[in-house]
Amino acid sequence: MTMRDDLCSIRSIAKRLCRSASTISREIKRSSGTGIYDANLAHAQCHARRLQPRRVPKLRTDGVLFQVVRHQLKLVWSPQQIARKLRLLWPDNPEKSVSHKTTYNAIYLHPPCELKRELIACLRHHNQVRKPRSRGTDRRGQIPDMQSIHIRPPEIEDRIIPGHWEGDLIKGAGNRSSVGTLVERTTGFVVLAKMDNATAKAVVDSFSVVLNREPAAMRKSMTYDQGREMHGHKILTERTGVQIYFADPHSPWQRGSNENTNGLLRQYMPKGSDLSIYSQDELDAIALSLNTRPRARLGFESPLVVYTQHIELLQHPTDTVN
């Protein structure tokens, strides 16, 4: 009050009191009923606010709403379903509805007792302690020394120069069998690799075999997702000369050619089937069937024809500069 009488600014008061300027500003606005800040009046108002009873929680154990929520939890409804149903039943009466967060708080902040155990048992995951929605960075299976798709040379994105691939695995029934899929970005040429399992060693070994069947000039790079099976990417690069780039998590559109091809492959290897029954020769036959299909983006030529043309141009370069 003295500093205000001396016409001190809010920022100078805050600096002298070691407080935020916004804190001083709120205090003055809250306690200047007559337009002039009175410290004695402000102290009396603060004391009165402290004596006010706290807000009564909606989900009191002795309340009707709590019993309704408890009944619906026993019907194995989730707190989200309960909240939505109550809002639909009484859209104009907020006292008869409750958010799912309030329900979770009422369960987990309840003192340990039989009732709390009963309510937690009604939840889908039965967690004894409520887990935060965000738990920081997921460090499971991080791939060492991986290079991001964002540092990939621009000619790969433009699909002008052949020899750049996209890779992935398609899984069989119960994720117990796998087939490696590789798609050349410029031509859409498909290569399939038989996998004994989805371990990093099996993936490196299988991809190395099928990639090394292709001419060296057509083995420039591969873009893959951040699956754990690619932990051996540096070994794969040493064996094949193919530089590996990694797409962002949950970004399948960054490997659109491969995702589209995986969908086409399901015509030959349906979801839920056992992929371990296919030999490498049978996978090569499936790849040949795809590679001989005419494609609209290739002027209805087949990937095999266009891929072969690129190989011939690379093996027999001309003096013509396009």
Side-chain angles (χ1 to χ4, degrees), residues 128-288:
Q128 296 303 311
V129 178
R130 190 177 182 188
K131 297 181 180 180
R133 188 175 184 86
S134 174
R135 304 179 198 175
T137 304
D138 186 358
R139 293 178 173 82
R140 295 175 297 174
Q142 278 193 342
I143 300 173
D145 302 320
M146 65 178 185
Q147 295 199 54
S148 169
I149 189 175
H150 299 292
I151 65 171
R152 195 173 65 173
E155 61 264 22
I156 302 178
E157 183 66 27
D158 296 337
R159 301 176 186 266
I160 296 173
I161 300 176
H164 301 286
W165 302 77
E166 294 178 6
D168 198 10
L169 297 184
I170 58 173
K171 298 296 185 71
N175 292 335
R176 290 187 293 271
S177 56
S178 306
V179 169
T181 66
L182 295 169
V183 184
E184 202 283 314
R185 284 176 55 84
T186 301
T187 63
F189 186 79
V190 178
V191 173
L192 300 180
K194 179 175 174 59
M195 302 281 175
D196 294 329
N197 50 56
T199 62
K201 182 180 185 305
V203 169
V204 168
D205 290 344
S206 299
F207 278 151
S208 296
V209 170
V210 296
L211 281 170
N212 283 329
R213 296 189 308 187
E214 306 304 320
M218 300 298 283
R219 303 196 306 264
K220 294 183 176 71
S221 77
M222 178 168 69
T223 303
Y224 207 89
D225 62 20
Q226 296 188 27
R228 292 178 299 175
E229 67 273 10
M230 199 45 69
H231 267 249
H233 65 96
K234 296 178 72 174
I235 300 174
L236 181 60
T237 299
E238 292 173 2
R239 292 183 183 179
T240 64
V242 174
Q243 177 61 56
I244 313 296
Y245 297 98
F246 290 89
D248 296 330
H250 314 297
S251 304
W253 59 88
Q254 294 179 344
R255 299 177 302 103
S257 298
N258 194 246
E259 292 292 327
N260 179 64
T261 300
N262 288 349
L264 297 177
L265 286 169
R266 288 304 185 181
Q267 294 178 289
Y268 303 89
M269 296 175 283
K271 287 187 177 181
S273 60
D274 181 9
L275 303 184
S276 64
I277 64 174
Y278 296 97
S279 66
Q280 185 61 56
D281 288 341
E282 290 172 322
L283 293 176
D284 290 341
I286 292 173
L288 179 62

